[in-house]
Amino acid sequence: MDAQEQLQEVVHRTPLQTSTTFNKKTGQHVYLKMENQQKTGAFKVRGASYKVACLTNEEASRGVIAASAGNHAQGVALAAAKRAIQAQIFMPEGTPRAKVEATQGYGARVVLTGESFQEAYQAAVLEQDRSGATFLHPFDDYEVMAGQATVAVEMLQQQPDLERLFVPIGGGGLIAGISFAAKQLKPDIKVIGVQSAKAPSMYNALYKKGPEKLTSVSTIADGIAVKERGRLTYTCIQKYVDQVITVEEHEIAEAMLMLLEREKTLVEGAGATALAGLLSTCNTFEQQQCGVVLSGGNMDISRLPLIQKLANPKKVVIA
């Protein structure tokens, strides 16, 4: 795979680690893909780096512009810096400070605007029209998807016996790439997408359950707070993804706290969403080898009290 070869020297081959805690809790064999330990703290650097590597010299010379809920921004900023390309990134006003500062730290200019990714995206498109810079979409782009697909390639190299993959969904770039690659390598593998019930644009579109274009997306999983699904990603998901489910805020928060307390692993809301999906469905299928993508770890630590509150500390958990 071209993207796999291209990224070998650029991104970390993150660990795929098993967990006694989650094996016992779910009755499954659980393998966590630690993309929270990836460069820039999330998988997004894969797609951004591959896309930037594919730019012609003429495209690069115009500079790049992007919109992001946070993690794509850091990936683009780092990849652009490596090629000495000017980068301008539009991000929602509520983006965690850690993501904004990290993006600026890689040398990109950041513009904060709007409630969600959608408003930031619209502002970026207007600026791209004005400036003529090259636009780097965070998910609806085949080269970005190809970069994200390397997550699945690594997982199946690290554990060829995987039977079921749980993957978070925002716009769909990660799961589109993963599902395509996984099905090429192992056609009978099941790919399950997980969205926040507070931002279910892809779920709604697939199952005709509600509006495909959301008016509001208020979720602790800010990395997947997308109001409108991708067009290219949707087609791929329809073809290669076996099921898409949603999880509630308290389920995401509980998964985040369990990872922190039991595994000593910090993940952001989007990063814990796939694990929340496994925890909520583990009793519905026979024991399998389950791969779970912990997609990112760029969490604003000041939000921990909110996460603890959402996770419902009054609930009695029997270990």
Side-chain angles (χ1 to χ4, degrees):
M1 184 180 285
D2 182 47
Q4 183 78 357
E5 292 174 14
Q6 179 76 43
L7 295 179
Q8 269 180 353
E9 304 300 317
V10 179
V11 303
H12 295 317
R13 182 184 174 90
T14 53
L16 184 74
Q17 61 191 50
T18 192
S19 160
T20 303
T21 295
F22 291 114
N23 288 350
K24 285 181 179 177
K25 189 161 183 66
T26 63
Q28 306 290 338
H29 297 291
V30 181
Y31 295 88
L32 306 173
K33 183 60 170 167
M34 312 298 286
E35 284 295 288
N36 59 315
Q37 296 178 17
Q38 184 55 263
K39 284 183 184 175
T40 73
F43 76 94
K44 287 279 191 179
V45 71
R46 295 174 183 266
S49 294
Y50 186 58
K51 179 64 181 179
V52 168
C54 292
L55 295 178
T56 64
N57 289 334
E58 191 275 328
E59 288 170 330
S61 70
R62 290 189 267 127
V64 296
I65 195 165
S68 170
N71 290 331
H72 177 63
Q74 293 173 71
V76 168
L78 176 62
K82 283 181 177 290
R83 275 193 72 176
I85 298 170
Q86 285 189 318
Q88 185 175 17
I89 320 281
F90 286 74
M91 304 167 80
E93 289 171 357
T95 303
R97 192 183 312 115
K99 294 183 178 183
V100 175
E101 290 176 354
T103 303
Q104 292 170 326
Y106 291 122
R109 178 170 178 260
V110 173
V111 179
L112 296 177
T113 182
E115 180 219 15
S116 74
F117 165 77
Q118 214 60 40
E119 289 80 20
Y121 172 74
Q122 288 159 0
V125 169
L126 287 174
E127 176 59 21
Q128 192 265 340
D129 284 343
R130 188 197 68 76
S131 68
T134 301
F135 196 86
L136 304 186
H137 200 285
F139 50 83
D140 224 18
D141 180 291
Y142 287 124
E143 287 162 342
V144 169
M145 289 184 231
Q148 319 305 25
T150 59
V151 174
V153 177
E154 286 181 18
M155 290 176 78
L156 284 166
Q157 287 173 344
Q158 291 163 314
Q159 178 46 271
D161 295 333
L162 289 174
E163 299 166 277
R164 187 175 289 250
L165 303 181
F166 286 82
V167 187
I169 302 180
L174 177 62
I175 197 168
I178 280 181
S179 60
F180 174 78
K183 297 282 185 174
Q184 305 309 306
L185 295 168
K186 194 171 184 178
D188 60 344
I189 199 167
K190 300 292 184 195
V191 181
I192 314 300
V194 190
Q195 278 204 302
S196 164
K198 295 274 193 179
S201 56
M202 189 67 73
Y203 175 85
N204 288 356
L206 285 168
Y207 299 118
K208 313 301 178 198
K209 295 282 190 181
E212 293 187 25
K213 191 168 183 178
L214 307 172
T215 54
S216 177
V217 283
S218 179
T219 170
I220 55 170
D222 56 88
I224 53 173
V226 176
K227 287 185 176 179
E228 192 174 358
R229 60 161 173 86
R231 182 177 56 85
L232 303 179
T233 59
Y234 179 71
T235 303
C236 196
I237 288 166
Q238 277 186 307
K239 189 169 182 180
Y240 297 109
V241 174
D242 295 278
Q243 184 185 9
V244 174
I245 61 175
T246 62
V247 289
E248 301 296 334
E249 294 293 284
H250 73 90
E251 293 176 302
I252 298 171
E254 285 166 11
M256 292 172 75
L257 286 185
M258 285 181 67
L259 283 163
L260 191 56
E261 291 169 355
R262 305 292 182 88
E263 302 298 319
K264 312 307 174 204
T265 293
L266 181 70
V267 297
E268 60 190 275
T273 299
L275 178 60
L278 169 61
L279 290 168
S280 70
T281 61
C282 59
N283 296 325
T284 65
F285 55 92
E286 295 296 314
Q287 188 178 75
Q288 290 187 332
Q289 310 272 344
C290 299
V292 179
V293 181
L294 303 185
S295 58
N298 294 314
M299 182 186 146
D300 201 329
I301 300 297
S302 67
R303 300 183 77 185
L304 256 181
L306 168 65
I307 305 304
Q308 289 175 301
K309 187 177 177 183
L310 281 170
N312 191 3
K314 292 177 185 175
K315 187 168 150 187
V316 177
V317 179
I318 300 172

